[in-house]
Amino acid sequence: MKKFIEEFKTFALRGNVMDMAIGVLIGGAFSGIITSLTDNFIQPIIDVIMGRAAYTLEDVALFGSNFISAVINFIITALILFCLLKAMNKLLSVGRKEEAPAAPTTKTCPYCKSEISIDATRCPHCTSELS
């Protein structure tokens, strides 16, 4: 059972899965903006053109406030998801070990200042013996 939980944890915290989940949530929040735009701006314009309804200035103000509310909801959702993802990435990076820098493979000749192999006992450029 413990191995199953570890495998699930590895799967769920993988970058692609998290990106997809964030995308789905942002898409859901953005659909609220599109729905509000359609319900509060496009549909009333169609209703007026077709002669089905007449709107007052109060109605237009209400439509505008509903749309602004949907935009604010989207921004808040996106901000919360950003903060959660940032915190989760920070938590995941705590357990990782940083890789040690690679050992050097070259050195500088003290006489001619040319770059030579670290194993060299004689400089191939100036033929000086190296200690």
Side-chain angles (χ1 to χ4, degrees):
M1 184 68 173
K2 186 172 180 154
K3 184 178 179 188
F4 176 78
I5 292 173
E6 285 296 319
E7 287 177 3
F8 179 74
K9 180 181 167 187
T10 303
F11 165 77
L13 297 179
R14 200 170 22 177
N16 296 340
V17 174
M18 295 307 299
D19 291 343
M20 185 179 67
I22 296 293
V24 168
L25 293 173
I26 290 288
F30 190 72
S31 73
I33 291 177
I34 300 302
T35 301
S36 177
L37 178 70
T38 304
D39 293 345
N40 295 311
F41 288 108
I42 296 174
Q43 190 62 44
I45 290 171
I46 292 173
D47 288 345
V48 168
I49 291 172
M50 295 296 205
R52 285 186 252 165
Y55 295 103
T56 64
L57 192 58
E58 291 174 356
D59 293 334
V60 173
L62 179 66
F63 294 152
S65 66
N66 287 342
F67 180 72
I68 290 171
S69 176
V71 170
I72 290 172
N73 286 340
F74 172 77
I75 291 170
I76 290 171
T77 302
L79 181 66
I80 289 171
L81 289 172
F82 173 75
C83 292
L84 284 173
L85 188 62
K86 190 171 176 93
M88 191 166 56
N89 285 339
K90 189 166 189 114
L91 284 173
L92 289 175
S93 69
V94 169
R96 292 187 188 146
K97 296 179 183 175
E98 292 189 27
E99 294 180 19
T105 58
T106 60
K107 63 182 178 182
T108 304
C109 173
Y111 302 104
C112 69
K113 305 297 183 200
S114 299
E115 193 170 299
I116 57 174
S117 174
I118 200 148
D119 299 342
T121 57
R122 187 177 286 268
C123 178
H125 303 285
C126 66
T127 65
S128 300
E129 285 194 37
L130 306 172
S131 55

